[in-house]
Amino acid sequence: MRALARKLYDEAVRAADPALAVRRHFDSHPPAELPAGGRNILIAIGKAAPAMLPEAMGHVSGPTEALAVTHYGNGRDIPGARVLTASHPEPDEAGLRAGQQIIALLDGAGAQDRVYALISGGGSALVPAPRPPLTLADKQQVNRLLLASGLDIGQVNLIRQQLSDLKGGGFLRHAAPAPVRALILSDVIGNDLGAIASGPTVAPLGTPGDALALLARQGLLDRLPPAVTALLEEGNESPPAPVAENYLIGSNEISLAAIPAAVPQGWEARIVSDRLTGDVGEAAARIAQAAAQAAPGRPEVLVFGGETTVTLRGTGRGGRNQELALRLAMLGRDWRRPWVFLSGGTDGRDGPTDAAGGLVDGGTIGRIGTAGRDAAALLANNDSHAALGAAGDLLIAGATGTNVADVQVLLLA
């Protein structure tokens, strides 16, 4: 059952292959012919950038400049392109320099050029472009605050957009007057294009006032850097951005749909929810409830997809998928039927760890205890990585080169 759970996760990841998604797009939407003297400018940002960029380069003709920005460990040589790596989820100096290179490339674009933006999850942290007078340190402090706040991805990005020179349509302002076509691989549930990589090619999700009000409601205002508070209080909205051709080419729903076809004979599979969002504790309870309602005596795979949130209360290491797996292991330790549960990020990374998530079963909590660790205490300290590591239940996938949020499968024998 554990091997089957891993196989189904791998199938979901394969269904999100970014190169195939780019190929399908250009097969149905061939690139426009370049005007005389024009260039193709291809900029790929995110965890899938190294896979999306070379595929896109193969579909355009004429003079081309190409740049990819992805996370450490995911970079590779792409003939004819610059490939930069930076930190995720914590922005760093390398990301700052990458953002500056993107802005310089876009600022040089003219009406005769054609800009292609290849956007995937992770792009927000990978190319921080602090809006003056903010610094990278300001953005890093805000990023840490938001990641620990329990806010959903849309709320986080509403705030991020007001502090960035690229997010929330900033990419388009720098590219003007060149037209922009964006190919977007969604890691956001509901596929709101304004939330994917904080929406560099779409209008912002809100205003500085909206961001300020949200931070106030969450009790976070007094924890912001003074420069950030001052910028938001000024309330200066960015000018309207030009309109891009935005195309959604991949999503979590596509990956979930690949799972039922991959289950072996004798098993049934059904997608229970493609909107598993909110607090990980509540999400674990929803999965446990679905298990309790499943028909007994029939091998079944319950499929979920989404993106949960973790409110940090401790000093441990982990991520939303690891904590979800640990919480489900605690809820399911007394279930009367054999079961296996996997929760994994399709990008192969979960929080600031080497794991994609967790792969647990009815013996997980016992194995943690046998290793001399206390599962409840580790969970209270947000130390799901240590807990699952003690049980041998970390899901290790390595960088997958794609990112369409998270996948969960619960196998009930």
Side-chain angles (χ1 to χ4, degrees):
M1 288 173 65
R2 292 175 67 91
L4 175 57
R6 177 58 192 262
K7 174 190 172 185
L8 298 179
Y9 165 80
D10 290 340
E11 287 294 327
V13 171
R14 270 192 285 273
D17 184 292
L20 291 179
V22 171
R23 188 178 309 163
R24 287 193 299 266
H25 168 80
F26 279 114
D27 285 346
S28 58
H29 300 82
E33 185 175 346
L34 270 179
R39 300 169 297 160
N40 298 298
I41 299 175
L42 281 68
I43 298 176
I45 305 169
K47 297 176 181 178
M52 297 176 78
L53 183 60
E55 181 66 33
M57 291 171 67
H59 291 270
V60 300
S61 58
T64 298
E65 291 194 50
L67 171 65
V69 184
T70 192
H71 60 84
Y72 295 132
N74 196 40
R76 67 170 189 256
D77 290 337
I78 299 175
R82 285 179 284 160
V83 179
L84 308 176
T85 56
S87 175
H88 181 278
E90 173 81 357
D92 67 356
E93 289 284 349
L96 180 66
R97 292 191 295 272
Q100 293 167 343
Q101 291 194 42
I102 289 173
I103 289 172
L105 188 53
L106 292 175
D107 283 346
Q112 75 281 8
D113 298 324
R114 297 292 179 263
V115 176
Y116 296 88
L118 311 170
I119 307 297
S120 57
S124 185
L126 288 168
V127 288
R131 180 173 293 174
L134 303 184
T135 65
L136 177 61
D138 292 328
K139 292 291 292 288
Q140 289 172 329
Q141 184 175 338
V142 171
N143 193 63
R144 287 191 291 268
L145 180 65
L146 295 178
L147 290 178
S149 68
L151 294 173
D152 66 39
I153 190 64
Q155 294 171 315
V156 167
N157 284 324
L158 184 154
I159 296 165
R160 284 173 169 167
Q161 288 175 350
Q162 304 307 318
L163 311 179
S164 172
D165 202 24
L166 278 173
K167 300 173 176 62
F171 186 105
L172 301 177
R173 297 184 193 98
H174 284 287
V180 176
R181 182 193 294 199
L183 281 58
I184 302 171
L185 192 69
S186 174
D187 65 333
V188 173
I189 303 311
N191 304 321
D192 182 347
L193 301 187
I196 302 164
S198 296
T201 64
V202 298
L205 297 170
T207 66
D210 294 331
L212 202 63
L214 174 58
L215 289 161
R217 288 195 302 272
Q218 297 297 317
L220 300 175
L221 276 183
D222 61 349
R223 299 170 62 187
L224 293 174
V228 171
T229 305
L231 181 66
L232 294 176
E233 288 177 342
E234 287 175 4
N236 295 327
E237 296 186 40
S238 299
V243 177
E245 293 182 77
N246 287 309
Y247 295 93
L248 181 69
I249 64 169
S251 68
N252 186 259
E253 291 90 336
I254 293 172
S255 285
L256 298 187
I259 294 176
V263 296
Q265 187 174 5
W267 288 82
E268 294 185 15
R270 59 187 173 96
I271 299 172
V272 179
S273 174
D274 59 7
R275 295 290 189 276
L276 191 69
T277 59
D279 179 76
V280 285
E282 297 172 3
R286 288 172 58 189
I287 294 169
Q289 182 180 30
Q293 294 170 347
R298 184 178 66 190
E300 190 170 15
V301 180
L302 307 183
V303 181
F304 304 81
E307 186 168 288
T308 58
T309 57
V310 175
T311 300
L312 296 181
R313 298 183 175 88
T315 59
R317 294 175 66 241
R320 59 181 181 263
N321 287 289
Q322 292 166 79
E323 184 156 324
L324 179 57
L326 179 58
R327 287 179 178 275
L328 205 284
M330 296 184 73
L331 292 174
R333 56 188 152 183
D334 296 324
W335 290 351
R336 296 179 179 272
R337 61 193 296 186
W339 62 272
V340 166
F341 176 70
L342 179 150
S343 183
T346 54
D347 60 352
R349 299 182 65 184
D350 186 43
T353 74
D354 58 349
L359 175 56
V360 299
D361 56 40
T364 293
I365 302 303
R367 291 193 294 274
I368 294 171
T370 299
R373 308 302 297 272
D374 184 325
L378 291 168
L379 177 60
N381 193 40
N382 296 115
D383 210 358
S384 54
H385 187 270
L388 297 179
D393 286 355
L394 290 169
L395 174 65
I396 305 295
T400 65
T402 191
N403 186 23
V404 291
D406 304 332
V407 169
Q408 292 86 24
V409 291
L410 175 62
L411 280 64
L412 301 168

